[in-house]
């Protein structure tokens, strides 16, 4: 499925397939899926996917990482992840980091962006980003940090995807060319997310849809 700019809403990170049309907008989405579940999507020719090993499940992942390497060749898989670091849940950070590194390297190899999960490990994430110095986009999903941190991350080159939990001041602090929207596991529709973000930015949903469609087109080549 080609990504085309039009009157569309893009949900860059969701765990469930959304309605095809919401409030008159066509909905495009990236469905997050785990490697072992991808075989169930073989007949799904209408979806685009992100596929990765989540830091919560980074123990004993050799078979998952090998499978991910194969899956990443599929044209429907347009991003690697969600992958990353979490100091509050999951295996020891050293193990998480090793699994994350392997996915970073796979993303570089396949020229596909990364969907990032990060909790309380910002210094480590930034250090890895600087170490790899890759042009592959890193999109931090579900971002809800403080405005100052959002500005710092965007200045470094990170992209930030926001959902219903992000504060107004943080949304305002994200440069327009670094902004994405998502639903993740929320019951709110992607239109609801766009509507809220547009209200915070004092622009129309149509204008926001144009901004994010352009970001999607530039990021997911």
């Amino acid at each position: 499925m080609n990504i085309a700019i039009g009157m569309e809403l893009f949900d860059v990170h969701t765990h469930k397939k959304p309605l095809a049309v919401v409030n008159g907008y066509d909905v495009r989405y990236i469905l997050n899926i785990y490697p072992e579940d991808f075989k169930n999507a073989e007949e799904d020719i209408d979806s685009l996917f992100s596929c990765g090993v989540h830091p919560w499940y980074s123990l004993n992942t050799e078979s998952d990482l090998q499978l991910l390497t194969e899956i990443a060749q599929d044209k429907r898989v347009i991003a690697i992840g969600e992958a990353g670091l979490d100091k509050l849940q999951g295996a020891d950070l050293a193990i998480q980091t090793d699994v994350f590194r392997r996915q970073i390297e796979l993303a570089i190899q396949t020229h596909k962006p990364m969907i990032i999960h990060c909790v309380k490990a910002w210094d480590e994430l930034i250090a890895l980003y600087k170490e790899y110095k890759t042009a592959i986009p890193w999109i931090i999903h579900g971002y809800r940090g403080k405005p100052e941190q959002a500005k710092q991350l965007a200045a470094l080159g990170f992209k930030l995807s926001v959902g219903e939990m992000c504060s107004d001041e943080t949304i305002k602090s994200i440069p327009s060319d670094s902004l994405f929207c998502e639903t993740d596991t929320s019951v709110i529709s992607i239109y609801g997310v766009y509507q809220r973000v547009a209200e915070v930015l004092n622009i129309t949903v149509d204008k926001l849809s144009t901004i994010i469609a352009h970001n999607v087109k530039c990021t997911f080549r």
Side-chain angles (χ1 to χ4, degrees):
M1 181 173 69
N2 293 326
I3 296 176
I5 293 179
M7 296 309 294
E8 299 170 320
L9 305 181
F10 290 91
D11 188 343
V12 301
H13 183 78
T14 183
H15 290 266
K16 60 186 182 301
K17 291 175 108 174
L19 295 174
V21 179
V22 178
N23 289 72
Y25 292 86
D26 292 330
V27 176
R28 301 289 180 261
Y29 59 92
I30 301 175
L31 184 63
N32 186 253
I33 198 165
Y34 204 73
E36 65 182 15
D37 296 324
F38 190 74
K39 59 181 177 291
N40 298 323
E42 289 179 356
E43 304 303 320
D44 188 350
I45 61 173
D46 295 321
S47 295
L48 297 174
F49 298 94
S50 59
C51 190
V53 178
H54 196 287
W56 292 355
Y57 312 117
S58 50
L59 277 175
N60 304 315
T61 56
E62 187 59 39
S63 61
D64 289 324
L65 289 168
Q66 290 180 2
L67 182 57
L68 177 60
T69 300
E70 299 171 13
I71 291 169
Q73 310 308 315
D74 193 302
K75 291 182 179 180
R76 295 171 299 161
V77 177
I78 64 169
I80 304 300
E82 59 187 284
L85 305 170
D86 192 321
K87 287 187 176 180
L88 297 185
Q89 191 168 344
D92 183 84
L93 194 64
I95 295 173
Q96 291 187 27
T97 301
D98 178 65
V99 172
F100 186 30
R101 281 183 178 277
R102 292 179 64 177
Q103 292 178 92
I104 295 169
E105 290 159 9
L106 177 61
I108 293 170
Q109 176 189 339
T110 56
H111 305 286
K112 295 184 178 182
M114 299 201 70
I115 305 294
I116 304 294
H117 171 104
C118 185
V119 176
K120 305 292 185 181
W122 298 107
D123 289 344
E124 292 84 354
L125 180 69
I126 290 170
L128 285 166
Y129 186 78
K130 290 180 176 179
E131 176 186 339
Y132 279 94
K133 297 179 182 177
T134 174
I136 298 298
W138 290 25
I139 304 161
I140 300 172
H141 102 84
Y143 185 75
R144 59 178 79 173
K146 294 182 178 180
E148 295 77 14
Q149 184 188 59
K151 291 176 183 177
Q152 177 194 17
L153 292 167
L156 288 169
F158 288 95
K159 309 297 182 181
L160 304 175
S161 178
V162 302
E164 63 176 331
M165 302 300 292
C166 194
S167 74
D168 290 3
E169 290 307 310
T170 293
I171 291 171
K172 292 176 183 177
S173 73
I174 301 172
S176 62
D177 61 356
S178 300
L179 177 65
F180 295 88
C181 289
E182 66 175 69
T183 57
D184 195 14
T185 60
S186 175
V187 297
I188 192 173
S189 72
I190 191 62
Y191 178 82
V193 176
Y194 270 70
Q195 187 177 42
R196 188 280 175 102
V197 172
E199 288 175 356
V200 170
L201 297 178
N202 196 29
I203 59 176
T204 65
V205 172
D206 281 2
K207 176 62 175 177
L208 181 62
S209 72
T210 300
I211 291 170
I212 293 183
H214 176 75
N215 293 345
V216 167
K217 189 76 171 179
C218 292
T219 300
F220 299 97
R221 298 184 180 277

